[in-house]
Structures are given as structure tokens and as C-alpha cells.
Amino acid sequence: MLTDSVVEGSLPNRFRALWDEIAPVGRDAGSGGYLRYALTEPELRLREWFREQADARGLPVTEDGNGNLFATWGEPEAGDAVLTGSHFDSVPHGGAYDGPLGIVSALLAVDELRAAGATPVRPIAVAAFVEEEGARFGVPCLGSRLLTGEMAPDRAAGLRDAAGVSFAEALGGRPAGARPELLGRFAAFVELHVEQGRALVDADAPVAVASAIWPHGRWRFDVRGEGNHAGTTRMADRRDPMLTYAFTVLAANKEARLRDAHATVGRVSVEPNATNAIPSKVTGWLDARAAEPDTLRGLVEAVHAKAAERARRDGTELTLTEESATPLVAFDRGLSGRLATLLDAPVLPTGAGHDAGVLAAHLPTAMLFVRNPTGVSHSPAEAATDADCAAGVTALARVLEELACR
């Protein structure tokens, strides 16, 4: 059970003490960023840390067969539970706070409620979702998509990482897929997350409530040409897929700016990837986001059309594949409005995807954001002060008290 030493000291100090336990795990000495890919050694260490922290608090931990962990205060099968938490995995060389902040804050919020003598009349469950970033197996929010049935278990089982390891192999078996009986036990989900922008800096506020998540998705461009010698192939004779790829990146940038949307090509694969060889194939991944679905659709269509035209001119072959797509997510207005009033906090949208965006289609869902002074995320420069993190814990504890203890 939880010892007195766990709850001693100021909340910022208690946050720092708990945070320091996980801060070194998966950190790259060169970049200062994190390599916590789902179900790899660093993330597995954090999952074990989660079990240890839950055990110290007397919270039984269950797994849903998809890699998602749940630590519950109260009877897990009682129903009407309030779910909170986030994820441990990172993007390549990502920041410290994206994901783990929501889990650490949830554990500390339970501590706060207990220290105040609160008793939940509905269970409180803390989740650690698997593969939220999609950095290892290519599909973001994989764990929550499986839990809700938005991802077929057979498709998920066959997803492979860069080394050829399948999700099923990493998980230790075929994922269970949809768990309606488990999902039905939850009455609401509230995810706390570091802000991935500067809106709270501009508002001079430590915490905000989210209103919506922009529609977004990932599209893969496969461009095939003709591999050949860089020194002997005349420029006029080339069928160079790199030219088509480069034009596609520029087109994505232009079309996004014209629509006040976001387009990013941050990953590329080249074959044979030799300095003195014209590539035979170039694959690029487009991340596209916009405030409205029609805007997003128009952006991707325009980029595809321009890239296809360029491919015809270059003598290359272009294939566009949608790898994932998330529609506009408007969080439950009643719940978000209730929390904004409770916390006297600003309300703002976000262009970043979260497990909350998946769960929002299945149960009332809200998000809390904690101020990020740099405004930078998915980077080692991502930051939050201990004081603001403590304010996030306090806000989350108030929310859990409101939803589960009254």
C-alpha cells in the first residue's frame, strides 16, 4: 500500500520525485530525446514501473489483451468508472512529457484525493495505452483503436516495425481486439497532456480544457522509377523518383499554406539509398491536418493531383495509400464545459491526435492541457515546469473528484 513518504512534501516536489524515476528511461545521450518505442525495452521498463506504482497504491492492474494496462481504484467491474491516463511510447527522439505526463499526473491525482480523504463512489481507472504515437508499427493510437474495435485484430497483428517484427510477436500473441464489455465499464475519459503549442503561454494560464481535435491522417507516397548509375546516365534519360518525391514535398507545403492547414513530410525511405545511384524507389509519408474535414480532403487531393502530374513528367509511377485517418473530434460539450467552469480554464482546440480522440466516439471524453513554455513538442525541447505540472495534477484531481467522488 501507499506509504506516508509517497505523499510528503509539496506537490511540485512530489511530482519531481516521481518524474525523476522515469526521466532517464529511454533517453538518448546524443539528442537528449527519447526512444521509447512501444513494447521495446525502455517502454517495457515503464510498463513495469506503472505496475509497481499501482501496487504501491493498492490498485490492481489488468491488461485488455491489446497491450493496454488499467490500474483501478475501486472495483474494476463495478461500472460507471472514470478513466484517465495516457501513454508511455514516444516518437523518435521525442520529448519527455508527451504521454508520460498524463500517467504520472493520474497517479499523483489519486494520491491527492486520498490525502484529502475523498472516497470514489465510482471507480477511477488509470490507463497506459500502447503504441499511441505509431512510431514503431505505423498506426497511431493502435491500443485504443483495438480496444474500441476501430482496428481489426488481424490487421494489427500483421503490422511490422522496421526490423520486421510484427505487433503480434512484440505483444506475445494475437491482439484481442474489441472489448465492448470492458469499454462499457467506463462512464467518461479525461486525458491530461502537455500542450503541443503556445496557446497557454499566450493566455498566461497553466491549464486548459480541449474543445476539439482537428481531423488528420497519414498517407504514404510510393514513387517508383528506374535505378541507374549516377555518373553515366544522361539527365534526359533518367526516371528519377526522387524528383517526384521532392516536388510532392513542396506541393504539400504550398497547398497547406493556401488552406491554413498543416502538411508535414518527416519520414522518407530510399532504395537503394546509395550516394552514386539514382533511386529505384522513394517512399514518403505525409502527415496532413486541418480544422475542417473538407479542407483536409481538399488538401490531400490537391497534393495527390500535383504529384501525379509531376510523376507523368518524370516518367515515374506514383501510388498513394491512406495508412490512417481520424475524423474531426469534438469533445463532449457538456463534459468539457463542465470542466472549464470547474477549473475556470480556457478552452482551446488542438491539431494533435490522442487516444482521447479515439475514445470520444464511444464515451464522453475530455482533455486537459498543461502549459508548455517552449511550445515545442515531439522534440527534446518539449517542456513544462514542475509548478505547472503540479497545477495539472491539482486540476485533474478536482475533475476526478467531481466525476467519481460525488
Side-chain angles (χ1 to χ4, degrees):
M1 293 294 291
L2 191 66
T3 62
D4 291 340
S5 63
V6 177
V7 295
E8 289 177 353
S10 69
L11 183 52
N13 288 343
R14 283 186 279 121
F15 170 82
R16 174 49 53 183
L18 201 58
W19 192 253
D20 284 346
E21 292 185 13
I22 69 170
V25 180
R27 180 187 286 154
D28 179 73
S31 70
Y34 287 85
L35 301 173
R36 294 169 171 168
Y37 303 137
L39 302 176
T40 62
E41 190 272 338
E43 203 248 6
L44 290 172
R45 286 175 59 190
L46 294 179
R47 289 162 69 87
E48 183 58 32
W49 176 88
F50 178 77
R51 290 180 181 275
E52 292 170 356
Q53 290 296 321
D55 184 64
R57 291 164 172 78
L59 311 179
V61 177
T62 58
E63 189 166 349
D64 67 351
N66 298 306
N68 304 314
L69 302 177
F70 301 92
T72 306
W73 183 14
E75 175 53 52
E77 298 181 2
D80 290 333
V82 179
L83 180 64
T84 186
S86 195
H87 63 95
F88 282 126
D89 64 301
S90 75
V91 299
H93 301 281
Y97 292 84
D98 182 352
L101 179 62
I103 296 174
V104 171
S105 297
L107 294 171
L108 288 171
V110 169
D111 295 348
E112 289 293 284
L113 291 175
R114 281 180 161 164
T119 302
V121 296
R122 287 169 290 281
I124 295 174
V126 180
F129 289 103
V130 73
E131 183 69 331
E132 191 269 357
E133 297 291 3
R136 183 177 182 188
F137 296 104
V139 176
C141 302
L142 181 58
S144 54
R145 290 179 193 270
L146 281 165
L147 171 65
T148 58
E150 295 189 14
M151 168 69 71
D154 287 341
R155 182 192 170 197
L159 295 173
R160 295 186 180 275
D161 66 11
V165 178
S166 72
F167 179 66
E169 291 169 334
L171 187 64
R174 178 182 179 275
R179 292 290 306 277
E181 79 289 352
L182 173 58
L183 196 60
R185 297 175 190 168
F186 302 125
F189 176 48
V190 179
E191 180 175 2
L192 180 144
H193 203 279
V194 69
E195 189 196 359
Q196 296 171 292
R198 292 181 52 85
L200 283 174
V201 174
D202 296 339
D204 193 24
V207 177
V209 175
S211 59
I213 297 176
W214 281 13
H216 57 279
R218 298 180 183 185
W219 289 262
R220 188 182 76 245
F221 285 86
D222 293 300
V223 188
R224 291 176 174 81
E226 181 179 66
N228 213 328
H229 196 292
T232 61
T233 309
R234 295 184 305 176
M235 299 301 287
D237 294 338
R238 300 185 179 205
R239 295 172 51 228
D240 188 349
M242 186 61 77
L243 298 179
T244 310
Y245 166 77
F247 182 85
T248 302
V249 175
L250 295 175
N253 176 70
K254 179 178 180 179
E255 295 300 325
R257 290 175 183 272
L258 289 173
R259 292 167 172 79
D260 197 22
H262 295 170
T264 306
V265 181
R267 178 184 172 197
V268 61
S269 173
V270 182
E271 298 176 14
N273 203 29
T275 305
N276 59 349
I278 300 166
S280 58
K281 180 182 177 183
V282 178
T283 301
W285 282 263
L286 170 68
D287 179 302
R289 306 168 190 245
E292 299 295 335
D294 288 346
T295 305
L296 178 62
R297 187 179 308 109
L299 166 62
V300 176
E301 289 175 352
V303 174
H304 187 200
K306 287 194 169 185
E309 171 58 27
R310 178 69 197 207
R312 285 190 288 272
R313 291 162 53 191
D314 293 333
T316 57
E317 297 177 4
L318 173 75
T319 302
L320 173 67
T321 303
E322 179 185 284
E323 290 196 337
S324 67
T326 301
L328 173 68
V329 175
F331 290 118
D332 186 278
R333 290 186 179 182
L335 179 58
S336 296
R338 182 179 174 187
L339 300 190
T341 300
L342 175 70
L343 302 174
D344 190 23
V347 179
L348 53 93
T350 178
H354 304 278
D355 289 307
V358 175
L359 290 170
H362 303 271
L363 69 159
T365 299
M367 288 193 72
L368 303 180
F369 292 132
V370 171
R371 178 166 49 194
N372 176 349
T374 68
V376 176
S377 188
H378 284 188
S379 157
E382 182 180 272
T385 67
D386 290 353
D388 282 353
C389 291
V393 172
T394 299
L396 182 60
R398 291 186 65 189
V399 167
L400 295 178
E401 181 184 25
E402 174 77 11
L403 300 180
C405 301
R406 296 183 179 180

